Amino acid sequence: MKILMVEDNRSVSEMMSLFFQKEEWDADYAYDGISAVKMFKEHPDEYDIVILDLNLPGMDGIQVNSEIRAVSPTIPVIIVTARDSESDEVLGFKVGADDYVTKPFSPLALIQRIKAVVRRAQLARSQGANPKNNFDVVVGPHFKLNSVTHEVRWDDTPIDDLTRKEFEVLKVMAESPEQVFTRTQLLQQIWGYEFVGDERTVDSHIRKIRRKLAVAHQQLIHTVWGVGYKFSVEDDG
């Protein structure tokens, strides 16, 4: 694998280089936005993935991403940034990021995310699929979810502005419709060992997801009192 890591903090790049070497991956490093765009445009076919900081000198990460996507619309991009607001996370996905990691982050967790993102991209290419139309989670006649593009639709209506965690909660539940998930199960599957908090976090995310799903005029996530939540779509035939 060949990686382009765009990060102005050299200590972060040096740290990740050790983990890349352990995986036997090659990597190039750019420390500002202008250099990153120049490096990618010179050898666009060499790279399997771009790791991209948002806060960069010369040209910010959003602009860099746009320049890279103009050359290679399907290159996987993981945004790594100190920005951790919900609006920044949504912006990252809107501009085409495949994943979004906030600092400080675990290097091992980033390695796993890189593997997952590249694996999804390779699968889409091997199937000759257009990721914009490749809905890998389909529930009932109306609900569709695309794990690659983070696109969710109810018929022709897009369900927009889901954060990464909200998308992951929805995906886990939609992959097993009618299954009841406890709050603890969702915490373990979505937040894993990195999570520090309590079960109210799940309730908060469910409320936000329900509000964003309201465009479908359907209640898709149901409360099972005393147990947890389930995803259910009524088939109206």
Side-chain angles (χ1 to χ4, degrees):
M1 189 187 302
K2 182 70 174 289
I3 298 168
L4 174 59
M5 184 159 191
V6 189
E7 168 63 64
D8 64 328
N9 187 327
R10 291 177 181 264
S11 63
V12 172
S13 294
E14 290 169 0
M15 173 188 68
M16 288 309 306
S17 70
L18 300 176
F19 288 86
F20 295 158
Q21 290 170 20
K22 186 175 181 181
E23 296 290 334
E24 298 184 347
W25 296 343
D26 293 328
D28 289 336
Y29 301 90
Y31 303 104
D32 64 80
I34 295 173
S35 298
V37 171
K38 182 175 182 292
M39 291 171 65
F40 187 83
K41 287 184 175 181
E42 287 177 349
H43 305 286
D45 296 330
E46 286 190 4
Y47 298 108
D48 297 290
I49 190 168
V50 177
I51 312 300
L52 177 62
D53 190 13
L54 286 186
N55 296 313
L56 295 168
M59 181 187 295
D60 70 25
I62 299 300
Q63 292 175 289
V64 172
N65 182 77
S66 296
E67 293 282 344
I68 287 175
R69 291 295 192 188
V71 177
S72 178
T74 60
I75 183 75
V77 176
I78 296 179
I79 286 179
V80 181
T81 179
R83 302 180 188 178
D84 60 357
S85 70
E86 180 175 311
S87 61
D88 284 320
E89 189 168 339
V90 170
L91 176 61
F93 285 127
K94 275 190 171 182
V95 299
D98 296 272
D99 207 344
Y100 188 105
V101 179
T102 56
K103 298 176 181 177
F105 60 86
S106 160
L108 290 176
L110 179 56
I111 291 294
Q112 293 306 312
R113 289 182 183 276
I114 291 170
K115 290 179 179 179
V117 167
V118 171
R119 185 164 57 246
R120 290 200 302 266
Q122 290 173 339
L123 179 61
R125 285 196 298 268
S126 68
Q127 293 175 339
N130 179 353
K132 288 295 183 183
N133 299 314
N134 184 25
F135 294 99
D136 56 320
V137 179
V138 179
V139 184
H142 306 290
F143 180 86
K144 298 178 181 179
L145 179 149
N146 185 321
S147 296
V148 176
T149 62
H150 286 80
E151 182 180 5
V152 179
R153 301 187 72 86
W154 180 268
D155 288 333
D156 294 326
T157 302
I159 298 170
D160 294 324
D161 296 340
L162 290 166
T163 67
R164 177 169 56 82
K165 282 292 188 286
E166 290 165 4
F167 181 88
E168 290 177 0
V169 171
L170 182 58
K171 179 176 181 291
V172 165
M173 298 184 70
E175 285 178 327
S176 301
E178 304 300 336
Q179 176 179 331
V180 179
F181 291 87
T182 67
R183 293 170 177 83
T184 299
Q185 286 174 322
L186 290 172
L187 284 175
Q188 291 174 345
Q189 290 194 46
I190 306 302
W191 283 266
Y193 72 91
E194 297 177 349
F195 176 75
V196 178
D198 57 40
E199 294 182 352
R200 288 175 295 183
T201 296
V202 173
D203 296 333
S204 174
H205 279 72
I206 293 293
R207 283 196 300 271
K208 292 176 181 177
I209 295 169
R210 281 174 167 166
R211 185 177 68 247
K212 295 172 183 180
L213 290 176
V215 68
H217 305 294
Q218 298 282 333
Q219 182 174 337
L220 302 179
I221 297 182
H222 303 260
T223 300
V224 180
W225 296 106
V227 184
Y229 300 100
K230 70 175 182 177
F231 182 92
S232 179
V233 175
E234 293 186 4
D235 189 345
D236 57 12

